[in-house]
């Protein structure tokens, strides 16, 4: 931002604790949503391990919005573990689903988003209608496209510090896990059709709730002509498949498939998965709340005769004010976000009330970080808030930070032990003690100040300025200094990507090639004398205006001269406060054009 820009207008903070404000908590009111969900699960007297499930179809880029089910499940899992339960968090990839259309964007295993034209698009285009696990990986690095996608999801969870089991739906079918339920639903087709007809059109007497995989072309087909559950087989004809506004042609082959060589339609597959995996809780987006969930419950209770899990509907969030869209490329992946934020800040974002829509604003990430930092201070008693804010910090902060503490003090747990600590009571107790004792010495440099430090290419100078401004002390533990200064690279990357007022680099090692008129040179010399006297940033800012007037130099020209000397740019941050953060000798010599 240049000096001529107007002041910033205040706007509602999309990340603040304010969305939890309201009445103060009472004895019967739970401030943290994950506690309420855990109460519902616990009321059912679940058998351990308690199973928490999420799911995704590998149809595009697994973006931050898709991570909702992993992270919402994580917070509930952590509450239950705190209560002494063993928890298994599973995430199914629905990779036996057929590929119905080509995605415009894909992601490699490093989280880089690429265009379809940048990979072997033919691997996908020639395999429309086939299950994802039967389609070659267009990147050529995994055994199938389905496996490639599963590896990406696993990486997302790993980066977030969440311990999940990735379960391939294809593996469940091939291992026979679905076979008993598939046989049951085929033996009770009349009941299955009666229930399904309430939620889906075109359910007539010819409808069979099973989709074989054609033995000739490998596509998933929907036309079953005969069922023999005693033999565990169906006869089929490979017919056309509707895929949105297009049709994927079948090959017409007539054959026989076993119950492991196909799949249940999705309205049956979802509740069947609850039964097979013993699911106790599953969060899902609001798009499933009105049709999918009610049909799943109905099918579970009245077809499979099983109990559906505890549900939780979460609101979608947007990315910079627009819906996530894999097809349009309006996405951001966990890999990318972690180049801008610490993992604990991203986890904290998902601790927010899932019933409220919110925006993940890249441009305003500083507000998210500020909110996290404040919550952290509330937890450690370093700042006061309302009773509700303090209660919420006590509940939401520990699971947000726990994987970070475990990794930071890995040696105290045993090398690599943090990876398997989820259900280890002793490890969890050790981490809790480390959090409240050793980790209390952590230091957080404000995100925007970290962005200012990012303008300095000298690591030593960054530390010196942080100490000068009081963010680091002589007795700050070395690990805490490392953690604090680690935010500088993140904030610097944020400034670069958003091209905001902090996106400048101090030209410290060599003075830019400059040429000023005599009046400007005289003004700079006088300004250098003023800085040498040790004035603060606001005083220097005011003096720049006064010096320009005394020497009849346009104010913008004098600011521009300062920016040119420091950044070799015509614009920059607010000049007075910025130069006050630098070592005085350097500024004086640079304004005098000595070095």
């Amino acid at each position: 931002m240049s000096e001529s820009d107007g002041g910033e207008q205040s706007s509602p903070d999309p990340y603040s604790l304010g969305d939890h404000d309201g009445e103060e908590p009472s004895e019967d009111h739970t401030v943290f949503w994950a506690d309420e969900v855990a109460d519902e699960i616990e009321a059912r007297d679940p058998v351990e391990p308690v199973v928490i499930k999420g799911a995704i179809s590998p149809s595009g880029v697994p973006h931050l919005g898709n991570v909702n089910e992993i992270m919402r499940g994580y917070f509930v899992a952590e509450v239950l573990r705190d209560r002494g339960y063993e928890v298994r968090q599973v995430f199914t990839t629905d990779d036996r689903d057929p590929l119905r259309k080509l995605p415009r964007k894909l992601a490699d295993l490093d989280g880089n988003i690429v265009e379809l034209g940048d990979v072997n698009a033919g691997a996908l285009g020639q395999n429309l209608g086939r299950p994802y696990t039967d389609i070659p990986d267009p990147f050529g690095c995994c055994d199938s496209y389905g496996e490639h996608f599963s590896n990406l999801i696993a990486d997302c969870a790993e980066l977030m510090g969440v311990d999940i089991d990735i379960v391939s739906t294809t593996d469940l079918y091939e291992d026979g896990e679905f076979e008993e339920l598939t046989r049951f639903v085929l033996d009770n087709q009349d009941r299955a059709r009666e229930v399904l007809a309430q939620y889906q059109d075109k359910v007539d007497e010819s409808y069979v709730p099973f989709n074989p995989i054609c033995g000739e072309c490998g596509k998933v087909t929907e036309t079953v002509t005969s069922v023999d559950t005693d033999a565990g087989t169906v006869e089929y004809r490979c017919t056309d498949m509707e895929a949105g506004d297009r049709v994927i042609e079948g090959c017409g082959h007539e054959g026989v498939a076993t119950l492991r060589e196909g799949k249940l339609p999705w309205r049956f597959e979802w509740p069947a998965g609850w039964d097979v995996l013993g699911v106790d809780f599953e969060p899902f987006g609001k798009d499933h709340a009105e049709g999918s969930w009610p049909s799943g419950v109905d099918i579970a209770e009245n077809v499979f005769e099983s109990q559906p899990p505890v549900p939780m509907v979460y609101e979608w969030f947007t990315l910079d004010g627009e819906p996530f869209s894999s097809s349009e490329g309006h996405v951001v992946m966990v890999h990318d976000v972690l180049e801008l934020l610490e993992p604990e800040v991203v986890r904290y974002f998902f601790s927010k009330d899932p019933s409220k829509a919110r925006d993940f604003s890249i441009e305003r990430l500083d507000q998210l970080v500020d909110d996290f930092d404040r919550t952290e201070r509330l937890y450690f008693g370093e700042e006061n808030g309302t009773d509700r804010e303090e209660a919420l910090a006590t509940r939401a902060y520990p699971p947000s930070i726990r994987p970070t503490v475990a990794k930071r003090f890995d040696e105290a747990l045993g090398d690599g032990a943090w990876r398997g600590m989820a259900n280890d009571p002793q490890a969890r107790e050790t981490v809790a003690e480390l959090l409240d004792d050793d980790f209390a010495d952590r230091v957080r440099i404000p995100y925007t100040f970290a962005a200012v430090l990012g303008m300095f290419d000298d690591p030593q100078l960054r530390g010196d300025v942080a100490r000068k401004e009081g963010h680091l002390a002589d007795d700050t533990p070395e690990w805490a200094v490392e953690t604090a200064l680690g935010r500088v690279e993140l904030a610097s990357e944020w400034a670069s990507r958003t091209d905001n007022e902090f996106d400048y680099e101090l030209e410290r090692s060599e003075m830019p090639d400059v040429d000023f008129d005599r009046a400007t040179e005289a003004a700079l010399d006088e300004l250098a004398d003023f800085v040498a006297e040790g004035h603060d940033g606001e005083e220097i800012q005011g003096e720049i205006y006064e010096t320009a007037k005394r020497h009849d130099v346009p104010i913008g020209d004098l600011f521009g001269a300062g920016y040119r000397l420091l950044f070799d740019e015509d614009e920059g941050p607010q000049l007075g406060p910025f130069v006050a953060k630098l070592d005085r000798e350097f500024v004086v010599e640079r304004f005098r054009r000595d070095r």
Side-chain angles (χ1 to χ4, degrees):
M1 178 183 293
S2 68
E3 294 293 342
S4 60
D5 290 336
E8 294 184 4
Q9 295 181 347
S10 62
S11 59
D13 185 342
Y15 299 119
S16 72
L17 280 171
D19 59 16
H20 301 283
D21 285 346
E23 74 279 2
E24 293 300 301
S26 59
E27 292 183 0
D28 61 350
H29 182 75
T30 304
V31 296
F32 188 35
W33 60 269
D35 285 319
E36 296 182 9
V37 176
D39 288 345
E40 291 186 57
I41 298 170
E42 196 169 22
R44 294 190 176 189
D45 193 20
V47 176
E48 296 183 75
V50 178
V51 177
I52 293 175
K53 176 180 173 288
I56 190 172
S57 178
S59 57
V61 176
H63 53 70
L64 191 66
N66 298 136
V67 179
N68 246 317
E69 291 183 35
I70 294 177
M71 297 310 303
R72 300 304 187 182
Y74 164 76
F75 280 99
V76 175
E78 285 296 281
V79 169
L80 289 168
R81 288 170 180 142
D82 286 342
R83 298 182 184 184
Y85 287 93
E86 180 183 353
V87 181
R88 180 188 181 210
Q89 190 174 352
V90 301
F91 199 83
T92 60
T93 54
D94 299 334
D95 49 22
R96 184 151 272 197
D97 289 358
L99 173 65
R100 295 177 179 272
K101 65 178 182 178
L102 297 182
R104 296 184 185 179
K105 305 280 185 177
L106 295 171
D108 65 22
L109 292 184
D110 293 324
N112 300 308
I113 298 174
V114 302
E115 300 284 345
L116 190 60
D118 296 331
V119 297
N120 179 16
L124 299 179
Q126 298 168 11
N127 288 280
L128 289 172
R130 300 183 68 187
Y132 289 101
T133 41
D134 290 342
I135 297 173
D137 179 14
F139 291 90
C141 58
C142 299
D143 289 341
S144 70
Y145 176 59
E147 183 182 292
H148 181 99
F149 195 91
S150 293
N151 287 337
L152 269 176
I153 289 292
D155 286 346
C156 289
E158 172 81 9
L159 290 169
M160 294 299 294
V162 177
D163 183 20
I164 65 173
D165 293 337
I166 302 294
V167 177
S168 163
T169 306
T170 295
D171 288 347
L172 292 177
Y173 280 109
E174 292 182 346
D175 294 342
E177 297 294 332
F178 277 121
E179 189 166 3
E180 181 179 348
L181 287 174
T182 302
R183 180 177 284 106
F184 183 84
V185 78
L186 291 176
D187 280 336
N188 295 274
Q189 290 185 53
D190 290 342
R191 190 194 317 175
R193 282 192 285 262
E194 180 182 353
V195 173
L196 182 62
Q198 301 175 61
Y199 307 95
Q200 184 171 305
D201 296 332
K202 301 179 181 179
V203 180
D204 55 25
E205 292 184 358
S206 67
Y207 176 85
V208 179
F210 186 71
N211 302 142
I213 298 172
C214 179
E216 183 70 20
C217 68
K219 295 176 183 177
V220 176
T221 186
E222 300 172 346
T223 304
V224 174
T225 56
S226 178
V227 175
D228 185 347
T229 55
D230 290 335
T233 61
V234 301
E235 295 180 9
Y236 66 87
R237 183 173 65 256
C238 185
T239 55
D240 296 348
M241 175 195 301
E242 292 185 5
D245 58 355
R246 63 170 298 172
V247 173
I248 300 174
E249 294 183 357
C251 69
H253 174 72
E254 296 183 5
V256 177
T258 71
L259 302 187
R260 299 188 184 192
E261 296 172 335
K263 69 183 299 295
L264 291 166
W266 71 269
R267 286 191 189 271
F268 291 92
E269 186 176 88
W270 192 16
W274 298 337
D275 190 290
V276 166
L277 297 170
V279 180
D280 295 290
F281 166 64
E282 180 164 2
F284 48 85
K286 66 178 183 179
D287 54 326
H288 292 303
E290 293 186 1
S292 306
W293 171 252
S295 72
V297 170
D298 205 347
I299 290 171
E301 294 177 341
N302 297 306
V303 178
F304 294 130
E305 299 176 350
S306 61
Q307 182 184 44
V310 172
M312 187 195 76
V313 180
Y314 58 80
E315 271 280 354
W316 298 328
F317 59 86
T318 52
L319 173 63
D320 288 323
E322 298 292 335
F324 280 84
S325 174
S326 296
S327 62
E328 298 298 329
H330 187 65
V331 295
V332 63
M333 294 186 65
V334 169
H335 305 67
D336 206 36
V337 171
L338 292 179
E339 294 180 1
L340 308 172
L341 298 171
E342 295 100 339
E344 55 266 34
V345 178
V346 185
R347 286 190 291 267
Y348 174 72
F349 175 78
F350 286 102
S351 78
K352 301 288 188 175
D353 185 349
S355 69
K356 295 182 180 294
R358 67 185 71 252
D359 184 46
F360 189 84
S361 171
I362 302 295
E363 290 199 356
R364 292 185 287 175
L365 286 185
D366 55 314
Q367 296 178 9
L368 172 58
V369 178
D370 288 348
D371 184 40
F372 169 82
D373 289 352
R374 179 170 183 261
T375 300
E376 190 172 58
R377 294 192 299 272
L378 290 170
Y379 175 83
F380 285 108
E382 299 164 353
E383 181 176 325
N384 295 324
T386 66
D387 289 347
R388 185 176 180 78
E389 287 175 336
E390 292 178 2
L392 184 59
T394 299
R395 300 300 303 132
Y397 175 73
S400 299
I401 198 66
R402 192 173 284 134
T404 297
V405 176
K407 290 181 183 182
R408 166 55 60 185
F409 301 104
D410 197 34
E411 293 181 2
L413 297 169
D415 187 32
W418 64 269
R419 295 177 182 272
M421 65 164 248
N423 289 303
D424 184 338
Q426 184 175 352
R428 294 178 69 83
E429 182 178 350
T430 300
V431 170
E433 292 172 354
L434 289 167
L435 169 60
D436 291 335
D437 186 7
D438 296 48
F439 199 75
D441 293 331
R442 91 277 169 241
V443 173
R444 300 289 185 186
I445 295 176
Y447 196 65
T448 50
F449 183 70
V452 171
L453 295 183
M455 300 181 199
F456 311 146
D457 57 2
D458 182 354
Q460 181 64 43
L461 178 59
R462 293 174 177 178
D464 291 344
V465 173
R467 288 181 175 84
K468 177 182 178 182
E469 295 296 311
H471 295 292
L472 298 175
D474 292 339
D475 60 351
T476 301
E478 187 58 37
W479 71 263
V481 173
E482 178 185 334
T483 299
L485 294 178
R487 180 173 282 183
V488 174
E489 292 298 333
L490 301 173
S492 181
E493 180 67 18
W494 167 67
S496 175
R497 293 194 191 184
T498 58
D499 192 24
N500 63 22
E501 63 264 40
F502 306 104
D503 187 23
Y504 299 95
E505 182 177 342
L506 180 67
E507 298 289 337
R508 185 178 179 86
S509 59
E510 184 176 347
M511 189 174 76
D513 184 14
V514 293
D515 183 18
F516 304 125
D517 59 35
R518 290 184 180 180
T520 301
E521 289 182 341
L524 286 168
D525 289 339
E526 190 172 311
L527 187 59
D529 293 340
F530 187 83
V531 172
E533 295 172 1
H535 296 279
D536 65 25
E538 291 304 317
E539 291 171 332
I540 295 172
Q541 183 76 358
E543 184 62 20
I544 297 173
Y545 284 91
E546 296 303 320
T547 302
K549 292 178 184 178
R550 285 195 298 271
H551 291 270
D552 198 23
V553 174
I555 293 175
D557 287 358
L558 186 54
F559 276 118
Y563 294 137
R564 182 60 63 186
L565 287 167
L566 295 175
F567 304 110
D568 199 16
E569 299 276 359
D570 293 323
E571 296 181 340
Q574 193 174 34
L575 191 57
F578 179 77
V579 299
K581 292 179 173 65
L582 303 175
D583 56 291
R584 195 180 308 160
E585 181 181 356
F586 165 74
V587 175
V588 170
E589 292 184 355
R590 181 57 61 87
F591 279 3
R592 289 173 177 164
R593 288 87 63 210
D594 290 340
R595 72 175 175 111

